[in-house]
Amino acid sequence: MALTGDKNVILGEDGLPAANNLKRSKNVAENEEEDSKKKRTESCFDQPVDSSVYEVIKYSPSALPAKHYDADTTEPISCGLSSMNELLSWNRSEANPFNVAAVPLAPRKPRLVNCLRRTLVSHDMMGGYLDDRFVQGTSSEAPYAFYHWQYIDIFNYFTHQMVTVPPAVWTNAAHKHGVIVLGTFITEWTDGAAVCEAFLKDEESYRAVADKLVQISHYYGFDGWLINIENNLSEGAVKNAPLFLQYLTEQMHERVPSSLILWYDSVIEDGKLKWQNELNQSNRIFFDACDGFFTNYNWTEENLEWMKNYSVVQGRQADVYIGVDVFGRGKVVGGMLETNKALDVIRKHNFSAAIFAPGWVYESQSDKSEFRSNQDKFWALLSDYLYIHRPASQLPFISSFCQGFGKAVYRKGQHETAKSWFNLAAQEIQPLYYHMALEDRGWVRSSGCPEDAWDGGCSLLLDGLIPATLNTPICAKIFSLHVPLDSRIMVTLVYKASAGITVSLQLRTTDSSYCSHTDVHEVTLTSVTPETVGSGPQLESQMSELCGNRDLHGWTVQCSQLELHGCVLREVCVLIHREGEPQDMTFSCRVGEIMVLDVGTLQPPTDPVRGLCIDDVVWLRGAGSSPESSSSCLRLNATLRWDYPVESVRHFRVYWRRLRGPDPRIPPGQLELLARAYSNQFRVTELLVPEPPSVLELLVEPVTRGGSLIPESWWGRRQLSYTE
């Protein structure tokens, strides 16, 4: 059946275009779509800042595609593709721009190629696309999230849709920590066999499918695919399956250099669906054609013993990922709170691990409020078999420990919004979470605390017991890093401490040339002024924001400067000192934020927000999704786009205000915060606005990573004038 689409000739499962024609038309279509988008954006950016967009209100149904936007609110959402027709008709002009990852893959140490025993997490949870489908976040009392990124190398988002595109919130959070993200291509049972017969019948057909998978991964900004063929294949189809894998792998490597293609242990070389629970002669043809092999879960130690001596594995042992089902279904090693037993066997034989469905820690608990403690307990059980990866980005290094969800959004220790929320794009670099025993019944623990925060949704809670016999400070390690330092740096710490203790920081560095000599720097937290930094009057307001021995809403904000040239920051520890006489003493310290800044970069930004476009306006009249609203309310839904270097900001703050109308006696309104945005676009949804005729203004404020204040005159702004 023929389908209409872009300039590609797209056919259904009974006929596919020639691969070379598809590739040529693919490039033409992509270039034309990019040119059209660029021209539209530039024409918007060229408009004067104070120009107004004019709208005549119409209550026609939204023309936005329902699969990318919630039908009731027009909120952008993530989704997968359910059929081969959907996959082959996919094109960039009809894709979801909101689901494009805004965060590139961050560097880390060690790099994946240097990891000899890797860890993959496959996120299979309740069908997928739950709270995480809302690209801009959502209200959620008890969401699932993952934040132990330092332990894993690869994250796979898994559903049973044919093509699973990872939600951008997951890709953004993973990439921030240097973790590779894979989507899933799956066919299953009788319907899957029919699909495979169509796309694996010849070279033109399988290349067409591979090209689309490459385009989708490249467009949405994730790093490859898990290929899962769980149905029988005919003789012709199984002959072409390794060729499909090889072509897909080559094309992905060409388009996305850090990409991976993995094959799941299912079909064997004669086409039968026969899980092997190991890599062997029956399935090696698939392993040879791609980057790695994900075994089924019912293996025994004898399988691993045999595999490690199998000649095909030699030199590629890290590419064999032994599957571990956390739910413990079937005859498996470990599972649930004994998953560590499986990891023990896997590491004993020097294989990589693929941990499937760790959302068990959430799904299996009736009391979702205990999710954080359940998850921390689970990963603590595995920690002896996992390897800590170090973020290796350049300065600035900043974290407020936000896990991407919470009971409120905080800004400088106060509520910015006072309701439960979930948005993994808001997650910041995560610290180490642990419970560590000290001498003589003492202990120290680090955990996320949503009850109070400095910025975002939670702080880092350090609590424990200092035994009377301990005469030295407790060193609570919170970050393991690889951050080059070749400058004068400023360190900022924001914290709340219980009575009877004092708090300081300890930085451990190594020589960047030899990486052998270790220095320990205990940072004395003092007040730092613009004069001591050596700056001019331009930075006075910024320094006031960053530093000073101050007490803000119960939070202590302190800074210090260090001269550290030619070294690498490896660890950040919080030192807890007991005051007074030796005695057993419990303590708690909430850490709200840590910043390590290059003093030389503490200059005000020179770039304003360039332009602010308003597109895809939808007017609604009614109560919307808020039960408190009047049924006659006028509501605005619109997409905002702007230009600003995303890598220099933590987020954007999006505002609106009423300028005039319909009653001229009413003065202009105050700025009202709508939300935080984590890319250069934001969908305003269900905004209650004055009756027409009226004029309102929409504004975008960048919140920089270095803490610099952006004057309002440099914010993005656009007026919207509307009549009925």
Side-chain angles (χ1 to χ4, degrees), residues 609-620:
V609 176
R610 181 170 174 251
L612 180 60
C613 305
I614 303 177
D615 294 317
D616 299 327
V617 175
V618 176
W619 296 97
L620 299 174

Side-chain angles (χ1 to χ4, degrees), residues 14-71:
D14 295 327
L16 297 167
N20 55 351
N21 291 335
L22 179 68
K23 201 163 188 177
R24 285 196 296 269
S25 58
K26 169 192 74 176
N27 294 333
V28 170
E30 287 185 5
N31 292 337
E32 289 185 354
E33 192 270 335
E34 283 294 307
D35 289 343
S36 174
K37 181 179 178 181
K38 183 176 180 181
K39 288 177 182 177
R40 184 184 68 179
T41 303
E42 287 181 347
S43 66
C44 175
F45 290 161
D46 289 339
Q47 296 175 10
V49 173
D50 58 355
S51 65
S52 182
V53 175
Y54 178 71
E55 275 280 322
V56 176
I57 297 173
K58 297 178 181 178
Y59 300 106
S60 53
S62 169
L64 296 169
K67 64 181 178 180
H68 297 322
Y69 297 87
D70 184 87

Side-chain angles (χ1 to χ4, degrees), residues 196-212:
C196 290
E197 285 307 301
F199 92 85
L200 291 174
K201 67 181 180 181
D202 53 38
E203 180 179 3
E204 293 78 12
S205 302
Y206 71 67
R207 285 194 172 204
V209 169
D211 285 341
K212 286 298 181 182

